[in-house]
Amino acid sequence: MLNFALVGCGRIAKRHSELLGMGQVRGARLVAVCDLDESKARKIAEQFRVPHYRDMHEMMETESVDVIVVLTESGRHVNHVIELARHGKHIVVEKPMALTLDDADRMIRACDAARIKLFVVKQNRFNVPVVKLRDALESGRFGKLVMGTVRVRWCRRQDYYDQDDWRGTWALDGGVLTNQASHHVDLLEWMMGDVESVFAFSRTALVEIETEDTAVVVLRFSSGALGVIEATTAARPKDLEGSISILGEGGAVEIGGFAVNELKVWKFAQSQDDDDDVLERYSVNPPNVYGYGHQAYYDHVVDCILNDRKQLVDGLEGRRSLELINAIYESIETGRVVSLRFKPKYCRLGLGNT
Ligand SMILES: NC(=O)c1ccc[n+]([C@@H]2O[C@H](COP(=O)([O-])OP(=O)(O)OC[C@H]3O[C@@H](n4cnc5c(N)ncnc54)[C@H](O)[C@@H]3O)[C@@H](O)[C@H]2O)c1
């Protein structure tokens, strides 16, 4: 049994604490929680009958912890992960792992030096239809890839951004691309492979925040395939869609629903036996936009630690989609096509985070 402790008891901690605290992940249990805001930590602690702390180091020194889960504001992940690495326990960090590439590099180095595994939460990779799509891709059913597209059409009103100071800021959050759509950017790159160049436009359409609530991005992949990212939190009056489409010479797949959970299209030139009932068997409707992936994600974390397997999204893999997001912002700031690999010069993400 691995002992998990949470650092940060805000919105997403509800999901993590329910899974770990209610015994929904085999081989894992919640042993302690921590938040600078004691009332938030106490609420979760009382629900799952575990001790709570305000100081993460005091928690680590007092409790017997095997895995630390960092659920703090995105721009603070860097300091928390680096400081926690010295305790020598594996670390799970929510997405995005960091905001700047330098921060991501420092986190990777700190975890390598401490000989611990760093896991970046990308739970959508574990959605049932996404796993099915990945299988089809790996078995070569698409043949030559033609185009990959993702769409995030969610609804976040001003009150969502106003609930905490960090939301919608360059220093600690980023906009729709960094926060809500970071999963979809990750999925697109995971399916389509390395990106060669990007061009993007963004705007802040319906709320007052520093960063963008709406963006469109065109991409050219190293394979020659093309891609499109369409991302907004200005869909009204409610969340509409979180989806991905992959088109290749051998077939086409589209996964939709509002959390990339519903297989909408599954068509291949060379059919296989189970193709007919794939649409029904590989779709699940989750109750919210987080989807069901966190549970499968934690099963994966436990498996990697107990059986010393490689994480699907380690620090380097988490850095990969962060590099793409930085490149997109660089294009937005400069009005130019940005080629990867590159060093950001004008991208504002993470600036002012001291
Ligand atoms: N995977 C997903 O689908 C998903 C969904 C939502 C949020 N997230 C990510 O989770 C992270 C947290 O988001 P949230 O909405 O829960 O934010 P939040 O503001 O609700 O919670 C963050 C908490 O961290 C606490 N904190 C900050 N510094 C701390 C410290 N040193 N010690 C202890 N606690 C500290 C804050 O007091 C706050 O309560 C973000 O990076 C976000 O992008 C991921």
Side-chain angles (χ1 to χ4, degrees), residues 15 87 93 103 251 288 319:
R15 183 92 188 97
H87 295 281
V93 62
D103 287 351
N288 56 46
R319 186 196 190 281

Side-chain angles (χ1 to χ4, degrees), residues 20-236:
L20 296 167
M22 288 158 70
Q24 290 177 15
V25 183
R26 192 193 288 217
R29 70 177 162 214
L30 185 66
V31 295
V33 297
C34 163
D35 200 295
L36 296 175
D37 180 337
E38 199 189 342
S39 64
K40 289 190 188 174
R42 190 182 320 112
K43 192 168 168 220
I44 294 187
E46 284 173 357
Q47 190 181 355
F48 300 107
R49 300 209 175 94
V50 294
H52 66 278
Y53 294 82
R54 285 192 65 214
D55 181 332
M56 61 186 186
H57 296 298
E58 189 190 340
M59 174 173 79
M60 294 306 296
E61 280 149 20
T62 314
E63 303 293 334
S64 166
V65 175
D66 300 306
V67 190
I68 317 160
V69 185
V70 177
L71 307 174
T72 56
E73 301 86 345
S74 304
R76 300 200 204 284
H77 294 168
V78 54
N79 287 345
H80 295 151
V81 167
I82 291 173
E83 284 179 33
L84 286 163
R86 74 171 148 92
H87 295 281
K89 305 298 178 187
H90 301 297
I91 299 179
V92 174
V93 62
E94 259 293 358
K95 64 79 203 163
M97 67 181 289
L99 300 183
T100 71
L101 297 176
D102 285 344
D103 287 351
D105 289 338
R106 290 197 293 131
M107 291 160 78
I108 293 167
R109 275 201 295 275
C111 293
D112 284 350
R115 294 175 185 275
I116 55 175
K117 288 187 196 288
L118 176 62
F119 296 85
V120 182
V121 178
K122 295 280 173 162
Q123 79 272 13
N124 283 288
R125 286 198 185 195
F126 293 83
N127 291 357
V128 174
V130 172
V131 172
K132 189 73 183 155
L133 165 60
R134 180 74 195 175
D135 284 350
L137 193 88
E138 282 180 359
S139 63
R141 296 194 73 188
F142 285 94
K144 181 178 177 181
L145 287 170
V146 175
M147 184 162 72
T149 62
V150 288
R151 289 153 298 280
V152 183
R153 296 168 172 172
W154 286 355
C155 173
R156 298 288 179 279
R157 297 174 192 279
Q158 192 67 44
D159 56 356
Y160 163 85
Y161 291 102
D162 288 348
Q163 66 189 329
D164 300 292
D165 289 348
W166 67 280
R167 295 188 193 277
T169 64
W170 285 114
L172 295 176
D173 188 11
V176 61
L177 289 163
T178 326
N179 189 324
Q180 291 79 14
S182 67
H183 292 294
H184 310 79
V185 173
D186 172 70
L187 285 182
L188 186 65
E189 204 178 12
W190 189 39
M191 297 298 171
M192 299 295 292
D194 281 342
V195 174
E196 189 186 279
S197 56
V198 292
F199 179 76
F201 285 124
S202 73
R203 64 180 299 215
T204 313
L206 294 185
V207 287
E208 281 188 29
I209 54 173
E210 281 175 19
T211 55
E212 81 291 349
D213 67 2
T214 302
V216 286
V217 186
V218 289
L219 311 96
R220 183 192 293 280
F221 295 93
S222 301
S223 65
L226 301 179
V228 177
I229 296 168
E230 181 199 309
T232 187
T233 49
R236 299 291 186 267

